[in-house]
Amino acid sequence: MASPLSTTTTNTAIAATYPFYQKRSCASVIGTTSYRTVWKVSCKARNGDQKPTQGSATSSDNGESSLGRMDRRNVLIGLGGMYGAAGLSADQFAFGDPVPKALDSVVRTVVERPKKKKRSKKEKEEEEEILVISGIELERDVFAKFDVLINDEDDTKITPANSKFAGSFVNVPQKLGKREMKVKTSLRLGLTNLLEDLGAEDDETVVVTLVPRQGKFLSWFCILLFLSRSMDQIQHKYIDIRGLKLHVAEAGTGPSVVVFLHGFPEIWYSWRHQMIAVANAGHRAIAPDFRGYGLSEKPPEPEKASYSDLLDDLLAIFDSFSINKAFLIGKDFGARPTYLFALLHPERVSGVVTLGVPYIPPTPSAYNFNLPEGLYILRWQEPGRAEADFGRFDVKTVVRNIYILFSGSEIPIAGENQEIMDLVDPSTPLPPWFTEEDLTTYAALYENSGFCTPLKVPYRSLREEFNITDPKVRVPVLLIMGGKDYVIKFPGREDYITSGKVKEYVPDLEITFLPEGTHFVQEQFPDQVNQLIISFLNNHA
């Protein structure tokens, strides 16, 4: 069979030869992108089936001259002397004057790796190896897509046996009025797991292959590999939303946007693993702190806060970030504004993922369960009672107790002469997946907000009414449930999910149970949750 790298090979033929493109998800990773080590850059990689010289930047079909080998010093000069490149334009990545070139055939290039030896598991957790394809230029209002494959450096042909699908770049048309029609962007993909699967951890270089699928790419400039350090990829900003300064965490620059909505007592930090994985898979991840949570400002009258406020804030965030359409991912009570937003603004939602909480129609009667006396929800609905309970402890202890309680398999119910905080023995250790460092971070971020607004939303606003005439969610939905999540034991909840009753309201629903998962499944099993989320994003992009 002829090499699929031949310039005469059609995209259709490649798709037929490698159907695994459509089936595999991008590897889930836990890493970030602080540009700590930047090494070889390949610009203007050549087309065709001849393997280019290592470090070469020659184009075989238009007579461009080779840029030759580039050492690390030149790379850093090319980046303006900076390790951080998240805000750099395509031109700043390029060396010399870039000449636009359409990506209209399969392109293959060799890129040198920043490490030449196997790394330990701990090293891989601390530093993710990232592939960046920068300077992608295309028309904003045209659907366009290309796939990225990674191959061992010694391979002369691409075959399913020696290739790994790293991810896809997808541009979804956005018609947003008078704006620049051309857009320049970049794609970032985590490679650590892929290189391990290929057995290429000792290789000095990897082969990167770009396979155009649809649409026209006007130019692409540079491909580089670097190592990243945890949490540094996530950027933080404050935006003025309806009279309040809301804190928003953001990672990635991909054209597909994913918005994460936290639960109680969580904040953006609870999505740290997912934000990094989604960004490394080529998406843009955004995670706000709800008003009155974490680093976001408290409303002037917390006792009047409502779910409607959260929905209005979310719509304003979409507009502030120029998000035409996005995936929404909600956890715990964050699932409710996620579903409500999909009902009220379906044209702005590509799909929904929720963790721990299924869709429940937004009617007051939906929450008229036969709940036992002493249930934490009922206790915290009583004005002043939870504040007095929490007030006996510092913020760190309150967060510790709630994480311990909510990670159990039993519903937290206090006795007649008990408060909810009394259910936790002070000697009980934290769950093994939640470290003291995590707890300290949470406590520091909660010092700003306290618990006044969080107790109002969700607990004291559960029976809020909405003017929704059609309660069906008509976008694709993935529900991820932990098999040991205490929420499954609420009256009628398990039967509602497993009997298929929930699908009467969510026709396009996929349900996945993680047998050992608790209510904090995204922090407990980040790799599994990341893979599920990224597969869902890829399937519905």
Side-chain angles (χ1 to χ4, degrees), residues 482-502:
K484 295 184 177 180
D485 190 333
Y486 73 89
V487 171
I488 204 75
K489 294 187 177 180
F490 274 89
R493 186 65 57 87
E494 184 173 11
D495 181 65
Y496 175 70
I497 296 172
T498 58
S499 69
K501 177 75 174 177
V502 63

Side-chain angles (χ1 to χ4, degrees), residues 1-150:
M1 183 181 77
S3 169
L5 295 173
S6 169
T7 55
T8 60
T9 303
T10 65
N11 294 342
T12 303
I14 293 172
T17 306
Y18 304 105
F20 64 95
Y21 281 5
Q22 309 303 326
K23 297 178 181 179
R24 283 193 56 111
S25 66
C26 191
S28 61
V29 294
I30 306 175
T32 55
T33 53
S34 167
Y35 292 71
R36 189 168 181 270
T37 308
V38 181
W39 282 55
K40 301 298 181 179
V41 174
S42 174
C43 298
K44 300 291 185 187
R46 65 191 297 166
N47 290 349
D49 57 354
Q50 181 179 356
K51 187 174 181 178
T53 303
Q54 182 173 314
S56 169
T58 304
S59 175
S60 62
D61 58 353
N62 63 3
E64 294 175 22
S65 61
S66 170
L67 295 176
R69 289 181 61 90
M70 295 173 243
D71 61 19
R72 184 170 182 267
R73 177 178 177 274
N74 288 335
V75 171
L76 294 178
I77 291 173
L79 292 176
M82 300 171 61
Y83 287 99
L88 297 182
S89 69
D91 290 352
Q92 287 172 296
F93 271 99
F95 294 80
D97 295 324
V99 180
K101 175 185 179 300
L103 177 61
D104 53 11
S105 59
V106 176
V107 172
R108 187 188 199 197
T109 188
V110 177
V111 183
E112 188 163 339
R113 297 179 58 211
K115 289 273 188 177
K116 300 179 182 179
K117 64 179 180 65
K118 285 189 177 181
R119 295 186 293 151
S120 67
K121 180 179 179 181
K122 185 175 186 299
E123 288 174 323
K124 291 177 183 178
E125 290 176 349
E126 292 178 346
E127 290 187 322
E128 174 70 20
E129 194 160 345
I130 305 293
L131 170 71
V132 174
I133 302 172
S134 179
I136 303 165
E137 184 178 357
L138 69 160
E139 300 288 344
R140 185 185 297 274
D141 62 348
V142 175
F143 180 83
K145 176 182 179 180
F146 67 80
D147 291 337
V148 182
L149 268 70
I150 302 299

Side-chain angles (χ1 to χ4, degrees), residues 383-436:
R385 186 160 190 170
E387 287 85 347
D389 188 13
F390 290 4
R392 296 180 292 147
F393 307 96
D394 59 28
V395 171
K396 187 174 182 179
T397 302
V398 172
V399 175
R400 171 192 288 272
N401 288 353
I402 294 176
Y403 254 83
I404 291 171
L405 279 176
F406 284 11
S407 62
S409 59
E410 298 298 326
I411 302 175
I413 301 174
E416 184 177 353
N417 297 317
Q418 279 184 312
E419 297 298 338
I420 301 300
M421 291 293 103
D422 295 329
L423 296 177
V424 181
D425 187 318
S427 65
T428 304
L430 284 168
W433 39 265
F434 191 71
T435 67
E436 285 289 342

Side-chain angles (χ1 to χ4, degrees), residues 448-465:
N448 177 63
S449 62
F451 295 99
C452 187
T453 308
L455 287 168
K456 180 63 172 65
V457 182
Y459 299 109
R460 296 167 188 171
S461 301
L462 280 177
R463 288 180 171 81
E464 183 177 345
E465 296 190 38

